[in-house]
Amino acid sequence: IFLPHLVASMEVEETYIMVKPDGVQRGLVGEIISRFEKKGFKLTGLKLFQCPKELAEEHYKDLKSRPFFPKLINYITSGPVVCMAWEGVGVVASARKLIGSTDPLQAEPGTIRGDLAVQTGRNVVHGSDSPENGKREIGLWFKEGELCQWIPAQAPWLRE
Ligand code: UDP
Ligand code: MG
């Protein structure tokens, strides 16, 4: 079946989600991927990756003047991360809700940070904060050819 409206539409957004080094070390990769997968978003990119310092600094460039910036860069480069690109209608804001507040103690139970973390400096996951940053970050972390376009078998059962 060809369902073009389920594939390409103005509303379809992309977001960059990353399991941070603490999430990888704590064995939470499957759990975190599962939250987005079960919600019904489409995975278009996935890799385990040791982030170089320059990339971490570029990714978090808006936070460069903040006092925690050096510690943040150490944290993100301290071990492998899991890089993901997810696609869907409203995926950027929805992923931020699934992730929860930056401070895990303020994050609602049921969110990833609310359920799985206790400190801002070890908050297990990243999610883009706007559709523009979603595109920017996917471009930073993935090379062309690392992303896949595909139609999930469940597509017609997720959206009418
Ligand atoms: N961060 C930190 N201390 C702070 C604020 C942020 O260590 O006081 C870290 C934390 O890992 C956070 C990341 O910097 O996830 C990016 O900060 P941002 O405000 O963009 O939060 P997010 O978008 O990840 O919720
Ligand atoms: Mg942010």
Side-chain angles (χ1 to χ4, degrees):
I1 31 173
F2 183 55
L3 299 158
H5 66 289
L6 300 175
V7 185
S9 101
M10 294 284 288
E11 302 164 280
V12 176
E13 298 172 352
E14 297 170 284
T15 194
Y16 176 67
I17 303 294
M18 175 168 73
V19 183
K20 295 179 177 179
D22 50 333
V24 176
Q25 297 290 345
R26 292 177 55 208
L28 299 174
V29 171
E31 163 86 30
I32 292 171
I33 294 177
S34 203
R35 304 262 177 139
F36 300 97
E37 208 178 25
K38 286 177 189 165
K39 173 74 173 169
F41 293 122
K42 177 165 76 173
L43 185 64
T44 57
L46 175 67
K47 66 179 177 186
L48 186 71
F49 182 64
Q50 174 62 53
C51 171
K53 193 165 180 256
E54 302 68 41
L55 176 57
E57 288 173 346
E58 179 63 25
H59 173 80
Y60 283 123
K61 66 178 181 191
D62 291 350
L63 301 173
K64 196 150 194 161
S65 63
R66 306 294 289 275
F68 58 83
F69 187 75
K71 274 171 71 178
L72 174 59
I73 300 307
N74 279 338
Y75 165 42
I76 295 302
T77 58
S78 63
V81 294
V82 172
C83 310
M84 291 177 269
W86 288 90
E87 195 182 279
V89 175
V91 70
V92 174
S94 177
R96 297 275 295 184
K97 278 193 185 170
L98 292 171
I99 288 169
S101 302
T102 305
D103 177 354
L105 292 184
Q106 302 303 321
E108 293 295 328
T111 65
I112 295 169
R113 288 168 174 167
D115 289 349
L116 306 175
V118 293
Q119 207 190 29
T120 302
R122 295 288 184 271
N123 62 4
V124 302
V125 66
H126 166 82
S128 307
D129 62 9
S130 67
E132 297 67 40
N133 275 332
K135 281 194 198 311
R136 178 183 84 89
E137 293 169 4
I138 290 169
L140 275 179
W141 291 86
F142 287 99
K143 295 179 197 141
E144 245 186 70
E146 289 183 328
L147 300 169
C148 274
Q149 261 316 333
W150 58 295
I151 302 174
Q154 62 175 344
W157 301 103
L158 281 160
R159 299 188 63 85
E160 59 181 7

